[in-house]
Each structure stands twice: as C-alpha cells, then as structure tokens.
C-alpha cells in the first residue's frame, strides 16, 4: 500500500476543495451530538442537505467506531464517501482515534476502492499532533491488511483492492506528516516481520531460521550480524543457555545484530529477545492442550528483530544492538532434568527445578553477554510467564525495572503508541523465593508473583547497567478464532528509540 500526504487547509474554501477531491473513497470523521462542521458541512451543502436529514433520522450519529458508506451521491465528486464516527468531541482521545481508524480501515478495505483520501488526521486529538494521527492511521491500515498466507498451498486472493491512501493535513503540518507516514510505514514493516516470524510454525521457524532472518536483515539494511553456533556458545561458557538446548536436535544460535546510526562512541541501547522457537516445557513437559501456541515463544526475538528493521528503515541516529538467544526447549535423552545444576556465563550456578522455566535460563546468559557493549540501557523482551497473563490479561505488557527513569520512558512510549505496558515490582523481598539448597539460586520461585520472581531472577544478571524487562506473554499473540501474532511490542520499542534519538 502506498501512502502520501497532501496539504488542504481547514478554511471553508479548503474544505470545499476537499469535498470535490477526486478519489474512489473519501474518508470523513464526524463527531457525535454535534452540528455538521468542516468537510461534512461542505458535503452536506453539495448534496442539498442530505447529511443533515440523515443525522436527524439518526442514520449518521457519529458514535465512536461506527461507519456509514454512501455511494454515488448527487453533487459529490466521489464514487464513495465513508463517514466514521469519532464519538463525543468532549470525550475524544487517542484511543478513540485509533478505534475510529481501525473501523474506517476495515470499511475501506471491504469496499472495492483502489484509492482513498483519508481526512481523519484533521480531527484534533487531545494531547496529540497531526503527525501522530498520520502515523497511527498508517498502522491501523497496515494492521487491517496484514494476512499470513505463506503456509497455504494455493495463492489466496488479496483481501483488498486498496492500493493508495492520501492523507489530507493542514499546510503547516505537511512536513511533519510526511516524516510520520514514513515512520508509520517503517513500524508497520517491522511489525509485519514480527508477525510473520511468530506465525510461522516451529518446524520452519527454527533457531537457524531466526539466524538466517538476521543475516538477511543485515544484508538489506546494512546492519552487522554476528551469529554464534553451539561451539562458540560453549566457548563463552553459556552453560545456562546451553542447558535448555540439550534436548533438541536443532542447534542453538546466538544472534547479535548491530545497527550503527549514532556516533561511534555513543553507548548503544541493547534489546534482548527470548527466542524459544518451540517450548514443549522439556522434561517438565507442558499439558497438550494449546501447546501449538508455544511456537510463539520466540515472539520476544521476533519483536527485537522487527524493531531493528523499523529503526534501520527510519535511519535513526542511534546505536542499537539486538541479541537473540535462540533454541528449542524439548525433552530427550540428553535433556536437562529437574534438579540439574548449571553454571551460567556470569559464574552463578542455577538449580533447574522446572525445565519449563527456560526463558530466564537463556536470557540470563544473553544479559551477561550484553555487558561487553557498555550499554546505555538494556531492555529484554520475552514471553516469559503464564502468570503475567493472569496479572495483566491481554491488554498490557508487564514492565519491570529498578530504574524509575527508564520505566517511565517505556511507559510513555507505550501510551504514545497505544501499545501499552503496566509496571510491576522488582523488589528484594521477592528474591527470597529463589533460594536453592544446592546452587546459588533456583530457576523458579513458586506460584505467588510468578512474573515478579522471574524478573527478579533476571535482575541478578543485570547489575552492570540500566535494565528493563518486558513480559509479553499476554500481548504478543491472540488465541482463539483470531489466532495470530500481534506485532507487539514493536510500536512501544520503536517509539522509545525515536524518543531517545530526540532527547
Ligand atoms: N513460555 C512460557 C510462558 C508462557 C506460557 C507464555 C503461556 C505465554 C503463554 C514459559 O517458558 C513458561 O513455561 N513459564 C512457566 C514458568 C513456571 C514453570 C515457573 C509458566 O509460566 O508456567
Ligand atoms: Mn517454558
Ligand atoms: Zn517459554
């Protein structure tokens, strides 16, 4: 889909110009319980009061997320005009804008229109600018068009005829809106990569496949990829990471992908993504029901690779490094057993009381490896605990950090993009639950506060830098009829990096 921007002013003459713009589908926002204004008013005049009459009958009520498509109306220049309800103006919010955009995207895609003139960014969103509205619109449109068809034997017809979207903005906003559309597309491309990797089955998306994806990104976007295989991982003494890989026939891969957009001496931001390409639980095997969804256990890895793609496409002036420990977690004759004690790269020993708590075992060695980059901050992203779904559901990503400043930055990036996180504690009091009679620590802390003790475990490997942990167990994919990866938290991470570049 092709996005472009055109300036139309909000004066009466400008709105009249918009009302006569040539497009297969004009997309117009209308507020609830309000007299027709702006573009809607201009269209009403051109159609001799049609809209006023419809509004009076309650057919055009402006309810948030409602849509009304009118075809070939006398006096209008377009084959279709789509009216999108924005809700009550005094209650309008960024969330409301996104809801309206999603509804509008669905309606435009369902029509046969090949192009659309999208005027929603003209509605002032409280606490947001036009550039935000443009980027949010791009994301809504691209999200609605995404489909995963790679594994179907026959090519499926596209779900839309829509090829071109033109955004109408005020002349003063033209420049910022162009940048925002480009950023929106970069984020959408990153999210599409993240969704594809997540949706691919475990027999295709193996640790080697993730490594090849990183190599391909490096070629396409001038990144540097360093991929370490089993021998090199062993040489680094990553005994904890390797203990998870033991049961699998697939060789583990340790992926390092570097984007150098900033000055050489500028400390990098390091993103660490959990890359368990299938989590059977290992010897502590999971129950069978829904186990297929454990192909999504590499969504942390997929999101940091998607974020790297977005950052590279945007050309941010920052240094960013992605680290992905990638492996399967499988049972087998060589697999790690409950009670085994392993030695992490940091030298700390771990009693593996449950082989299904494997995410932390691979992340801890990646977090130790990250020290060598003297990072400005390290953020790990992981489908780490079922307990996080119990705590926060599928709405918020769990955020853990001992640094209030870093936590606040990430929370703000989540609010900006609507890809939200909620902070949970990482306090010393919980560390007690990780006591082991036989090693420096156990890899599980019991049922109470399972997500917190997982974060506490990770915190023991992050003393040398500022660190935050995102538990995306509830937000990385959807189950049920709409089963599929969401692309989260690519918007949050990318916005965090955009904000870092600007500070
Ligand atoms: N990948 C899972 C966490 C998970 C489960 C994410 C379901 C999303 C949906 C992780 O490796 C795991 O198995 N965690 C265990 C930890 C427990 C053994 C302490 C869990 O959450 O049950
Ligand atoms: Mn597990
Ligand atoms: Zn897992």
């Amino acid at each position: 889909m092709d996005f472009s921007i055109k300036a139309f002013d909000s004066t009466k003459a400008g709105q009249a110009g918009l009302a006569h713009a040539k497009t297969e589908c004009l997309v117009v926002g209308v507020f609830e319980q309000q007299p027709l204004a702006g573009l809607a008013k201009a269209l009403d005049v051109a159609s001799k009061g049609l809209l006023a009459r419809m509004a009076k009958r309650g057919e055009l009520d402006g309810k948030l997320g409602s849509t009304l498509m009118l075809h070939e109306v006398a006096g209008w220049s377009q084959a279709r005009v789509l009216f999108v309800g924005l809700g009550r103006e005094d209650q309008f919010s960024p969330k409301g804008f996104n809801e309206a955009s999603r509804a509008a995207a669905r309606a435009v895609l369902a029509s046969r229109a090949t192009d659309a003139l999208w005027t929603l960014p003209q509605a002032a969103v409280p606490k947001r600018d036009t550039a935000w509205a443009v980027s949010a619109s791009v994301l809504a449109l691209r999200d609605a068009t995404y489909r995963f068809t790679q594994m179907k034997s026959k090519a499926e017809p596209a779900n839309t005829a829509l090829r071109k979207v033109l955004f109408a903005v005020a002349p003063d906003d033209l420049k910022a809106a162009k940048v925002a559309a480009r950023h929106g597309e970069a984020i959408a491309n990153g999210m599409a990569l993240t969704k594809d990797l997540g949706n691919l089955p475990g027999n295709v998306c193996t640790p080697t496949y993730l490594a090849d994806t990183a190599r391909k990104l490096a070629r396409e976007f001038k990144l540097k990829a360093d991929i370490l295989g089993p021998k090199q991982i062993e040489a680094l003494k990553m005994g904890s990471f390797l203990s998870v890989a033991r049961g699998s026939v697939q060789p583990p891969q340790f992926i390092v992908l570097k984007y150098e957009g900033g000055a050489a001496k500028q400390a990098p931001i390091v993103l660490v993504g959990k890359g368990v390409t299938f989590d059977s639980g290992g010897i502590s095997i999971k129950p069978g029901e829904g186990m297929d969804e454990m192909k999504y256990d590499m969504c942390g890895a997929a999101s940091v690779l998607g974020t790297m793609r977005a950052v590279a496409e945007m050309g941010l002036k920052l240094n960013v490094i992605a680290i992905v420990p990638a492996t399967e977690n499988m049972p087998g004759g060589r697999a790690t057993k409950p009670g085994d004690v392993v030695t992490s790269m940091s030298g700390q020993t771990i009693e593996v009381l449950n082989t299904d708590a494997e995410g932390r075992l691979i992340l801890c060695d990646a977090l130790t490896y990250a020290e060598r980059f003297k990072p400005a901050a390290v953020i790990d992203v992981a489908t780490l605990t079922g307990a996080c779904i119990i705590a926060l559901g599928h709405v918020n990503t769990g955020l853990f950090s001992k640094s209030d400043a870093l936590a606040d930055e990430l929370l703000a990036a989540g609010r900006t993009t609507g890809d939200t996180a909620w902070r949970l504690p990482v306090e010393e009091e919980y560390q007690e639950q990780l006591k082991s009679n036989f090693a420096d620590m156990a890899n599980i802390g019991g049922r109470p506060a399972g997500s917190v003790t997982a974060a506490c475990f990770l915190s023991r490997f992050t003393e040398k830098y500022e660190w935050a942990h995102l538990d995306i167990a509830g937000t990385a994919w959807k189950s049920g009829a709409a089963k599929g990866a969401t692309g989260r938290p690519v918007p949050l991470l990318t916005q965090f990096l955009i904000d870092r570049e600007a500070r």
Side-chain angles (χ1 to χ4, degrees):
M1 203 179 311
D2 191 58
F3 297 100
S4 47
I5 316 280
K6 199 167 152 93
F8 282 97
D9 60 44
S10 55
T11 61
K12 222 170 163 188
Q15 299 298 354
L18 257 182
H20 290 291
K22 286 264 174 300
T23 172
E24 286 191 13
C25 187
L26 179 61
V27 182
V28 186
V30 281
F31 283 111
E32 193 179 344
Q33 292 175 15
Q34 236 176 58
L36 295 164
L39 177 54
K41 180 74 199 166
L43 289 165
D44 187 51
V45 170
S47 62
K48 302 202 166 67
L50 170 70
L51 295 179
R53 291 193 298 279
M54 291 188 77
K56 205 165 165 193
R57 291 197 296 266
E59 289 168 272
L60 180 70
D61 59 11
K63 283 233 161 38
L64 182 61
S66 66
T67 56
L68 176 71
M69 182 81 88
L70 297 183
H71 299 261
E72 299 202 8
V73 172
W76 293 354
S77 310
Q78 306 83 14
R80 303 169 194 79
V81 178
L82 175 69
F83 294 93
V84 187
L86 303 175
R88 283 178 44 177
E89 191 168 15
D90 59 353
Q91 292 171 0
F92 198 39
S93 67
K95 270 186 195 162
F97 182 89
N98 282 332
E99 193 175 331
S101 298
R102 279 194 294 270
R106 276 195 299 272
V108 179
L109 294 181
S111 79
R112 297 302 302 158
T114 60
D115 83 283
L117 176 53
W118 187 276
T119 72
L120 300 185
Q122 293 201 334
V125 184
K127 298 193 198 140
R128 299 286 186 274
D129 55 16
T130 303
W132 175 88
V134 167
S135 160
S137 299
V138 170
L139 290 180
L141 281 155
R142 285 284 305 271
D143 196 53
T145 31
Y146 175 83
R147 285 196 315 167
F148 182 76
T149 58
Q150 281 183 57
M151 305 309 295
K152 304 273 191 188
S153 63
K154 294 186 194 71
E156 303 213 335
N159 62 346
T160 180
L162 190 65
R163 290 284 158 269
K164 279 192 170 152
V165 178
L166 184 63
F167 294 109
V169 304
D172 284 351
D173 295 328
L174 186 64
K175 217 174 129 198
K178 282 186 174 168
V179 175
R182 210 165 50 75
H183 279 192
E185 280 195 272
I187 295 170
N189 290 337
M191 289 174 81
L193 172 63
T194 301
K195 291 179 199 175
D196 283 348
L197 290 172
N199 290 331
L200 279 168
N203 62 331
V204 174
C205 186
T206 57
T208 304
Y209 187 94
L210 286 179
D212 287 341
T213 303
R215 286 192 187 96
K216 217 168 111 197
L217 280 176
R219 274 198 302 277
E220 198 178 342
F221 292 96
K222 298 208 183 80
L223 308 173
K224 286 188 188 146
D226 293 322
I227 316 277
L228 313 183
K231 291 232 170 62
Q232 292 154 295
I233 300 169
E234 208 157 317
L236 285 165
K237 297 202 161 68
M238 294 186 173
S240 185
F241 174 31
L242 284 171
S243 76
V244 175
R246 289 182 60 85
S248 172
V249 179
Q250 295 290 336
Q253 304 282 309
F254 192 85
I255 302 165
V256 182
L257 189 61
K258 294 179 187 157
Y259 168 74
E260 291 166 350
K265 61 175 197 306
Q266 193 185 78
I269 306 280
V270 175
L271 305 175
V272 179
K274 172 179 173 183
V276 174
T277 59
F278 188 76
D279 180 12
S280 70
I283 298 297
S284 313
I285 201 155
K286 288 180 180 293
E289 201 192 337
M291 208 208 267
D292 66 289
E293 296 190 10
M294 282 298 113
K295 72 173 183 178
Y296 288 114
D297 212 18
M298 34 54 69
C299 281
S303 73
V304 311
L305 293 177
T307 301
M308 291 303 276
R309 194 195 187 287
V311 165
E313 190 180 328
M314 290 186 295
L316 288 189
K317 292 183 177 60
L318 273 182
N319 297 326
V320 189
I321 300 175
I323 301 180
V324 171
T327 179
E328 283 183 339
N329 184 25
M330 297 291 278
R334 290 173 200 278
T336 295
K337 306 170 291 298
D340 286 0
V341 173
V342 301
T343 304
S344 67
M345 185 183 181
S346 73
Q348 298 178 88
T349 59
I350 304 160
E351 185 186 11
V352 181
L353 287 175
N354 188 321
T355 64
D356 198 12
E358 86 296 343
R360 62 200 79 182
L361 294 176
I362 71 170
L363 290 170
C364 69
D365 281 341
L367 290 167
T368 299
Y369 186 88
E371 287 174 5
R372 66 185 58 203
F373 300 118
K374 301 195 167 48
V378 177
I379 300 157
D380 78 72
V381 190
T383 48
L384 201 63
T385 62
C388 193
I389 312 177
I390 304 303
L392 299 174
H394 304 285
V395 178
N396 283 296
T397 291
L399 164 65
F400 302 81
S401 182
K402 290 185 180 176
S403 160
D404 291 342
L406 183 57
D408 287 344
E409 275 182 86
L410 289 161
L411 290 170
R415 275 193 298 270
T416 299
T417 53
D419 179 11
T420 53
W422 196 269
R423 192 173 178 189
L424 293 166
V426 219
E427 285 174 304
E428 284 314 304
E429 283 83 344
Y430 295 94
Q431 292 283 3
E432 237 176 88
Q433 289 175 237
L434 294 171
K435 271 196 183 139
S436 161
N437 286 350
F438 306 107
D440 296 346
M441 69 194 88
N443 79 326
I444 53 170
R447 302 230 326 142
S451 307
V452 177
T453 53
C456 284
F457 179 97
L458 297 178
S459 77
R460 297 178 180 221
F461 301 85
T462 63
E463 297 291 341
K464 300 236 162 77
Y465 45 69
E466 288 244 299
W467 160 78
H469 158 60
L470 295 172
D471 193 332
I472 57 168
T475 52
W477 78 90
K478 287 185 177 144
S479 308
K483 193 187 288 183
T486 60
R488 293 177 70 180
V490 171
L492 182 159
L493 289 171
T494 310
Q495 187 65 43
F496 165 78
L497 294 167
I498 292 172
D499 295 344
R500 274 274 165 148
E501 185 202 37
R503 90 172 187 181

